[in-house]
Amino acid sequence: MTPEMNTAVKSGRAQQEKTSSDVILEVKDLKKHFPIKTGILQRTTGVIKAVDGAHFSVKRGETIGIVGESGCGKSTTGRTIIRLYEPTEGKIIYKGNDISHLKEKEMRSSIRRDIQMIFQDPFASLNPRKTLGSILYEPFKVHNLHSEKERQEKIESLLEIVGLDGSFKSRYPHEFSGGQRQRIGIARALTTQPELIIADEPVSALDVSIQAQIINLMEDLQEEFGLTYVFISHDLSVVRHIADTVGVMYLGNMMELAPKEDLYREPLHPYTRALLSAVPVPRQKGVKTREKVVLKGDLPSPSNPPSGCVFHTRCPEAMEECKKVVPAFEEKKSGHYVACHLYK
Ligand code: SF4
């Protein structure tokens, strides 16, 4: 990193005061429904409730992990926060301002630089016809950042920050391995000096050893630049490594939210318990291993979710009430929220 870059980034981000109440992002009862259109007239005949009640907040410089099976709405939640999708209901509060319905022009002028996204498949998100230099140049141009000379310097700095050689800027994405391509994706996300990064399954497509390298890189960058992450993953072991707080989603709903230690030590929601029971853990003398909970049935369709608690069709502890009454998402212990009738 050049000294100028170092100074600029650090003065902008890492040196900001962190206080315990410094919530940077708050998501309140967020919903994103997609209409189902059929026929020549494209009439709306139903809705897919991709996200139907997501709630969480994250403090500056921390990481929230959002976990759940494929199709649970976690990626849609991430994309709605960054406003790739217009929210159907609920609020997205960023730095105290409601950005849920900002117009694209306002988003571009005030938010797009601040919130960046890292995608699961770095190859698909990198234009194969462009060199790394032009891929990293583009955000500078879009946001009108820096002089021409500075842009070139910063491109090399960014590549070095993510562990690549600055001279790679004249190469194309296909010349790199999966792990290197994800490093390029991270470098691109850093071009605008963001404060918040939404990482959507950033290591799922990578080998386990490479996953660890990317996670370590993300942790180092967080430390250095004071970044905040929303880390979306289906993998509870990966999330355990990087997150401070973990939210568990099922069929578009946030089922449980807690500080990492609490959630992994004492999961309250039957769905979280089932997910955790499937995570392999090394045997430890004197420590009881978790009994494996096998969930019956398939994930119901978000276009026709079950009544009451959406998990009742698969819950090993379902009661009569669960079929009729939607459980409230409530704080049961300090900072530990759960939506389940077992804890009334
Ligand atoms: Fe299971 Fe009922 Fe709790 Fe839903 S509310 S998770 S069905 S016990």
Side-chain angles (χ1 to χ4, degrees), residues 148-319:
E148 197 54 39
K149 185 169 170 274
E150 282 169 340
R151 287 177 183 176
Q152 296 307 327
E153 285 168 4
K154 281 173 197 292
I155 287 169
E156 288 188 19
S157 305
L158 282 164
L159 289 171
E160 281 158 21
I161 287 168
V162 298
L164 298 172
D165 198 297
S167 65
F168 289 175
K169 65 179 183 181
S170 51
R171 298 202 191 168
Y172 291 86
H174 73 264
E175 297 178 55
F176 296 93
S177 66
Q180 286 174 319
R181 288 201 288 253
Q182 195 52 288
R183 286 174 192 270
I184 300 163
I186 293 171
R188 184 179 52 184
L190 292 177
T191 46
T192 59
Q193 297 179 16
E195 297 200 43
L196 175 66
I197 291 187
I198 313 234
D200 187 5
E201 299 269 15
V203 296
S204 309
L206 306 173
D207 292 346
V208 174
S209 60
I210 310 293
Q211 285 188 355
Q213 291 173 14
I214 297 294
I215 295 285
N216 289 340
L217 171 67
M218 288 184 68
E219 285 181 324
D220 291 347
L221 295 171
Q222 181 167 48
E223 177 80 21
E224 185 158 6
F225 302 136
L227 296 168
T228 306
Y229 293 138
V230 174
F231 192 99
I232 296 164
S233 176
H234 67 281
D235 189 335
L236 278 151
S237 351
V238 169
V239 167
R240 182 174 205 163
H241 195 85
I242 195 165
D244 298 290
T245 308
V246 179
V248 180
M249 286 187 74
Y250 180 83
L251 215 60
N253 291 263
M254 188 64 81
M255 295 306 208
E256 187 163 4
L257 177 73
K260 172 176 72 178
E261 289 75 23
D262 294 359
L263 189 113
Y264 284 83
R265 190 186 56 243
E266 196 188 349
L268 297 179
H269 199 282
Y271 179 58
T272 314
R273 289 206 286 264
L275 284 182
L276 279 174
S277 78
V279 176
V281 278
R283 278 184 185 281
Q284 277 178 287
K285 217 174 161 191
V287 178
K288 259 176 78 180
T289 49
R290 267 197 191 113
E291 204 178 309
K292 187 154 186 300
V293 184
V294 180
L295 292 178
K296 55 186 182 185
D298 295 324
L299 190 69
S301 166
S303 62
N304 185 23
S307 58
C309 171
V310 287
F311 187 53
H312 86 254
T313 53
R314 300 173 80 196
C315 179
E317 300 180 55
M319 306 166 281

Side-chain angles (χ1 to χ4, degrees), residues 31 100 107 131 201 209:
K31 296 185 183 177
S100 333
M107 280 295 288
T131 62
E201 299 269 15
S209 60

